[in-house]
Amino acid sequence: MEFKLPAQVRKKGKWFISSCNLLDVHSQGHTREHAERNLKDALATFLLSCYERGTLEVVLREAGFVPAVGRHQKLKPAARGRKEVTVPLPFSIERAHSRAASA
């Protein structure tokens, strides 16, 4: 499973600050690439934590997410200084659940 989220990376002094304002998650790094990688890690940790606490649905709803089933959404070009990051989440189906679903 992957999330595509809006992000911004900007230089502040000797650091690069990375942000996903949509979910209010931020990070930093010594290079632009390091800041972006750290943001992806922070977003993955945040989303997994929400899932484990049972709050993921509420967090996504409050951020404006809606189901895209049957919809083909065209992404708008990112504004200057903004980009989109892809955050992979390590979800899989447990054997017990997959057997029960196929029964």
Side-chain angles (χ1 to χ4, degrees):
M1 172 184 282
E2 292 181 341
F3 277 82
K4 290 182 190 257
L5 299 165
Q8 176 180 331
V9 180
R10 59 186 167 82
K11 188 165 173 80
K12 187 172 183 178
K14 293 183 179 183
W15 290 90
F16 286 88
I17 309 301
S18 51
S19 304
C20 176
N21 293 326
L22 182 68
L23 295 176
D24 198 23
V25 175
H26 311 276
S27 193
Q28 64 186 18
H30 288 292
T31 66
R32 183 173 298 280
E33 294 75 21
H34 194 230
E36 185 177 320
R37 186 172 55 247
N38 287 344
L39 178 62
K40 288 179 184 182
D41 289 343
L43 285 164
T45 300
F46 172 72
L47 292 167
L48 284 171
S49 173
C50 290
Y51 174 79
E52 289 169 352
R53 289 179 289 137
T55 60
L56 183 59
E57 182 179 356
V58 173
V59 167
L60 295 178
R61 255 184 229 282
E62 288 178 357
F65 282 81
V66 294
V69 177
R71 297 182 196 173
H72 181 71
Q73 293 181 325
K74 207 173 193 181
L75 296 175
K76 296 177 186 175
R80 186 173 181 263
R82 296 194 183 269
K83 60 184 305 168
E84 184 179 86
V85 294
T86 301
V87 181
L89 297 177
F91 284 106
S92 63
I93 299 172
E94 292 181 5
R95 285 186 191 262
H97 291 328
S98 63
R99 283 190 195 131
S102 64

